[in-house]
Amino acid sequence: MTQQPTQQPTHQDAGTVWERLVGQRPAIKALRTAAAGHGMSHAWLFTGPPGSGRSNAAIAFAAALQCENAPGDAGCGRCHGCHTTMVGSHADVAVIRTEKLSIGVDEVRDLVRKASLSPVGAGRQVLIVEDADRLTERAWNALLKAIEEPGERTVWMLCAPTLEDVLPTVVSRCRLVTLTTPTSPDVAAFLSRTLGVPDALASYAARASQGHIGRARALATDEATRNRRREVVLYPAKLTTLGGCMQAAANLVEVAKEEAEAITAELDAREKVDLDASYGVVERGRRPREYAPALSALEKGQKTRAKRRVLDVVDRSLMDLVSVYRDAIAVAVGAAGALVNEEIRPDVEEVVRTSSPELNLRRIDAIFEAREQMLEFNVPPALALEAMMVALMVPEGSSR
């Protein structure tokens, strides 16, 4: 396969709101054209794989619509409209995002009420739903009515992985923007340009992230993240005993909990302080009657968010495992090109020695089955991962 040349940002893109969209030239062109007044719609649906930049594209488009410059320069990145949109403080741009497993009807109704109001400024009112695939059925129905009867200056932007994640009647009323997984050269160039990352580290992070921009940024800037990933991708060559499989599963769960705790602890504490302040609660002081149910609702939401965080961290590890078995298949069949895990090629070759492409395809199926059990059927991660690791075990008699 011919490798595409690295897409450097054009002079027109450099420094604009579009700079954060990596390897998405067709989408940028369509959005720029719409922002300039050609082909504009009241509802947009952004789809694409995880890490492709769905919400970044929606926010960049919102900034272009609020840009104070001429249409030909929409999304300049310099004016007040662009800046406030990008930092999340523009009065006419609302973003709904969640750490919960779902977005309920009450949250959507709040957004619909906002959509019924006139914009504060002279431009459009933009409402962005980042995780539209998490809307409940009742939430979708509430949103559908608002999209069917839009305000004159209201624009809806929905973000979801695929069309199948969105209510068909909503899809039919939206203009579609499809994002793709950026190439490794695109991601590496982005990391070098925006973070000043050395070329070798940028190349590693781009390959290891498999096109996921947020993951690439973390791998490029955080040594602990790189170390955790290295531990995971070394598992396939080491799963030679049942005890080893059980230990690997336990380690994955423990690391996921620790990482999730590190991410959520500060946010949980800040939310508790804000809640106390809003109810006038002081240490050992009297608490209003309404405080207890509000605190209970907050703690319930935080527990749900923590569970989702653990699943997200585990999910990243599962995709790292998949990358090893895909590399092994590529090596076994003599495919050209660099491996995702080029830096551990000897370990990948050991997996090749002790298996077959067909076995590694079955292992990949086992990983996705564990993923489905956790995300769709609420199976405890420890149980799902133990069964998965046993399915990944090196066949008896083939280990070194």
Side-chain angles (χ1 to χ4, degrees), residues 332-398:
V333 301
L339 305 180
V340 171
N341 301 283
E342 190 66 50
E343 69 283 352
I344 61 162
R345 181 178 278 269
D347 294 88
V348 173
E349 291 173 345
E350 176 62 17
V351 174
V352 174
R353 189 188 70 80
T354 60
S355 64
S356 66
E358 293 75 17
L359 174 57
N360 289 325
L361 284 172
R362 291 197 296 273
R363 286 167 164 168
I364 290 173
D365 286 341
I367 294 172
F368 279 103
E369 182 179 352
R371 185 175 185 264
E372 183 181 31
Q373 288 175 342
M374 289 183 287
L375 297 178
E376 301 296 333
F377 301 109
N378 207 28
V379 173
L383 293 180
L385 293 177
E386 285 175 357
M388 181 197 77
M389 289 296 184
V390 172
L392 304 182
M393 189 165 60
V394 176
E396 186 175 356
S398 60

Side-chain angles (χ1 to χ4, degrees), residues 27-333:
I28 292 173
K29 181 179 180 181
L31 295 173
R32 269 190 152 150
T33 301
H38 305 288
M40 188 58 195
S41 172
H42 73 283
W44 295 76
L45 174 58
F46 295 81
T47 65
S52 58
R54 297 186 300 264
S55 59
N56 282 343
I59 291 170
F61 186 33
L65 294 178
Q66 305 297 349
C67 187
E68 297 165 5
N69 286 321
D73 196 25
C76 68
R78 303 180 299 275
C79 69
H80 179 74
C82 284
H83 175 72
T84 52
T85 300
M86 297 302 284
V87 300
S89 60
H90 197 290
D92 288 329
V93 179
V95 181
I96 179 171
R97 53 173 63 95
T98 186
E99 296 289 348
K100 299 187 295 183
L101 297 177
S102 62
I103 299 175
V105 66
D106 290 339
E107 295 167 274
V108 171
R109 283 174 177 164
D110 287 341
L111 204 61
V112 170
R113 279 192 287 269
K114 180 175 176 59
S116 67
L117 304 175
S118 297
V120 175
R124 295 177 173 91
Q125 178 172 229
V126 182
L127 304 145
I128 301 172
V129 183
E130 278 198 353
D131 298 297
D133 53 305
R134 298 189 191 179
L135 264 66
T136 64
E137 183 177 355
R138 293 181 64 203
W140 273 122
N141 290 331
L143 183 60
L144 174 60
K145 184 172 178 59
I147 292 178
E148 285 179 329
E149 303 173 1
E152 184 179 353
R153 293 157 61 196
T154 297
V155 178
W156 288 92
M157 299 184 190
L158 313 178
C159 305
T162 69
L163 293 178
E164 287 71 27
D165 297 306
V166 181
L167 197 68
T169 47
V170 172
V171 173
S172 66
R173 289 160 175 78
C174 296
R175 181 173 171 185
L176 180 63
V177 177
T178 303
L179 304 181
T180 59
T181 300
T183 66
S184 290
D186 281 342
V187 176
F190 172 78
L191 295 174
S192 296
R193 182 178 75 251
T194 60
L195 300 177
V197 176
D199 289 346
L201 179 56
S203 178
Y204 157 76
R207 285 186 288 101
S209 69
Q210 302 178 72
H212 191 299
I213 302 300
R215 178 69 165 158
R217 188 182 289 111
L219 288 166
T221 58
D222 183 43
E223 185 177 3
T225 299
R226 294 194 293 272
N227 289 338
R228 283 194 294 268
R229 184 184 186 279
R230 181 171 177 81
E231 181 178 347
V232 170
V233 297
L234 290 176
Y235 281 146
K238 296 179 177 180
L239 298 175
T240 58
T241 66
L242 183 60
C245 292
M246 296 297 103
Q247 187 60 55
N251 289 346
L252 264 188
V253 174
E254 186 62 31
V255 169
K257 289 181 178 179
E258 290 176 358
E259 187 172 342
E261 172 67 20
I263 294 171
T264 60
E266 183 179 348
L267 179 57
D268 288 353
R270 189 165 62 247
E271 288 177 342
K272 176 64 162 55
V273 170
D274 291 343
L275 180 70
D276 289 352
S278 66
Y279 282 90
V281 172
V282 296
E283 189 176 359
R284 297 183 181 178
R286 292 189 61 186
R287 285 159 167 71
R289 184 168 51 188
E290 300 85 358
Y291 176 75
L295 177 61
S296 177
L298 174 65
E299 291 174 341
K300 181 180 179 181
Q302 290 177 339
K303 184 178 180 180
T304 300
R305 180 172 61 203
K307 178 181 178 181
R308 182 74 197 192
R309 284 290 191 186
V310 170
L311 291 175
D312 287 345
V313 176
V314 170
D315 194 46
R316 288 202 302 268
S317 296
L318 296 188
M319 293 304 98
D320 290 335
L321 282 174
V322 167
S323 73
V324 177
Y325 292 113
R326 284 178 173 164
D327 279 349
I329 294 171
V331 171
V333 301

